[in-house]
Amino acid sequence: MRISTITKTLLAFMSLGIVSCSESYLDVESKTESNTSNFYKTQNDAYRALIGCYDGWRQTSSNPGFAFYVASEVMGAECFGATGNTDGRGYQVVDRFDIAQSSSDLNLYEADWARYYQGIYRCNELIKYEPQIEWKNETLKGTYMGECHALRAILYFDLVRMFGNIPLLTVATEENVPQADPAEVYQVIFDDLQFAIDNIPADAYPKSDTANNDGHITKYAAEALYARAYLYYTGYYGASIDGVTKDKALAYCEDVISSGEYDLVAEYKNLWPAASAGIAEVGDAVTLLGTYAGDGNCETVLAMKFTNTQDYNGNNDSNRWQVMLGMRNLPVAPYGRGWGALTVNPQFVNQYEAGDTRKKASIIDIVNEGIVNADGFEASYKDQREYTGYVIKKYSPLCFADGTSAVKIDGSGGFQEQNHQDWIIMRYADVLLMAAELGSSSAQKYMDKVRARAGLQPVAVSQASIMKERKFEFAFEAINYWDLLRQGVDYAAQQIATNGIDVKSGGNADKVVIAAENIKAKKGLCQIPQNQIILSNGVLKQNAGW
């Protein structure tokens, strides 16, 4: 997996520390090596600031916290919190929507809250100072500022889905800002995405030059995100926003489809490194990567990029949370070790249709893949909480034949801090299924295309069949939880709740019990960090049920 051009530029940018912030109750750090009096002057300054905005987005998954993409899976019906048998029960708090699991865990999302607002601050600063930049190329101006607006939209979309009630900041301020009505936040999200759609040229970042363009937000990515936000907002809130329509969301999906920029990767397994990997000796990249279609492949509409250069001296650029998904301290090639979070719910595994190739590509079956016979399995099993026999394959770390982490091809990398697989934010398959859901005249064709790739026969298009298809197509991609919520909190609660699924913790019998009433009481929303409420002198209010 290569390091993209935008990621290389991120590394150079971070060493400059150009962002200037003021301390506020949002706990945004100050970095003043460059400041607003000597920066935001040239087109090159604008590009450097834009890279800082991308870095702000990436920091939400490269730093301590819970990470949106991990939390989305813990809260959903696909996975249990798991982790180590003697670890704290913070993941169980999130999984059960129940603070009684660990009453001291009142700040699970504090680092995430701060990182998101730091990223938003960077975007706000570039938007604020754009008028004083001496632009030499109006097309680049539209491209850079379109990307900046889209990044702010992504950051707010994550935040508002997680917490519902959040401060809305579109300019830098030291005021103690109360939470906004979610409709106001979504208005900014749609406005920002519309700005990106209107200003990023369709040919700004063509797929034909993926080596240089991978990781950039394109016009098409903004269009797809617009449709995703539309479906979530109208579903979860049962409301609409002036000018944001179903017809517009569909038209944007159809524009992505008709662009010719994207297609489905021929085999589903080739979307994911661990599903494609071979058992390789240290240094053998060809065998290790196997049939993997590669970063930035034809199906990737948008991905969050990482590198394998992170260390513990302030260089934060890896997929820091991928290690949580690996088998508990158990490297069995090609699957690398990790910390055993997000064991897969066996009820979810049993719901795949016979012959669905996505099942094997998505899930490590510990028994049927012979991992129970591996050296070290017994110790791992006895150290694992909520063992089910199933582990996420899509984002499993990789290792070489001798168990050495494969984060670097020469075997020198750290398995914990240097994983660098992309988080895939939007795939072309999602665009096809959103277009079908939004009422495209080609809905059956789009649905058939997705199912055929999975080795399945056509089924009639309906809202129910589309949502079922999404459930398995996007398993473990931080999508299904939000798909459940947008069908109604009560419905989501029923799908997630369990009466007691048998698992093993520390090798002993255990049960996972998730009460639907806990999810309903909290409306599926996350706990606002208590320290932020204290820091705001009570201006921030905790979400109901927490």
Side-chain angles (χ1 to χ4, degrees), residues 403-423:
T404 299
S405 173
V407 294
K408 292 186 178 181
I409 295 302
D410 66 1
S412 66
F415 84 94
Q416 178 161 282
E417 75 278 14
Q418 293 181 337
N419 287 291
H420 55 99
Q421 184 176 334
D422 293 353
W423 286 130

Side-chain angles (χ1 to χ4, degrees), residues 308-328:
N308 60 7
T309 60
Q310 180 154 322
D311 57 32
Y312 294 111
N313 295 316
N315 297 310
N316 299 318
D317 49 47
S318 76
N319 185 337
R320 187 66 179 82
W321 287 98
Q322 190 180 352
V323 69
M324 296 302 299
L325 278 59
M327 291 184 291
R328 181 75 182 175

Side-chain angles (χ1 to χ4, degrees), residues 485-504:
L485 276 186
R486 67 182 176 88
Q487 295 175 78
V489 174
D490 287 356
Y491 175 80
Q494 292 166 3
Q495 297 302 306
I496 296 167
T498 70
N499 290 324
I501 294 179
D502 291 331
V503 296
K504 295 292 180 67

Side-chain angles (χ1 to χ4, degrees), residues 353 444 447-448 451 456-462 465-466 469:
E353 290 181 57
Q444 189 68 57
M447 180 87 149
D448 291 351
R451 285 182 61 81
L456 301 173
Q457 295 298 311
V459 296
V461 168
S462 67
S465 66
I466 291 170
E469 202 61 38

Side-chain angles (χ1 to χ4, degrees), residues 83-154:
T83 67
N85 190 47
T86 59
D87 288 350
R89 295 187 65 84
Y91 275 62
Q92 282 61 49
V93 170
V94 174
D95 192 27
R96 275 81 153 167
F97 290 81
D98 181 10
I99 192 61
Q101 292 289 322
S102 181
S103 58
S104 63
D105 276 315
L106 303 177
N107 295 290
L108 288 167
Y109 293 104
E110 185 168 26
D112 305 280
W113 183 276
R115 292 294 179 184
Y116 270 95
Y117 277 106
Q118 287 168 10
I120 289 165
Y121 181 91
R122 295 183 185 192
C123 295
N124 286 343
E125 286 286 273
L126 178 52
I127 292 168
K128 175 182 178 180
Y129 290 105
E130 177 273 318
Q132 73 184 37
I133 294 170
E134 184 180 347
W135 295 96
K136 296 181 179 179
N137 185 311
E138 287 297 311
T139 300
L140 280 181
K141 172 184 174 181
T143 302
Y144 294 173
M145 297 311 300
E147 290 176 83
C148 177
H149 278 272
L151 285 165
R152 185 171 69 175
I154 291 170

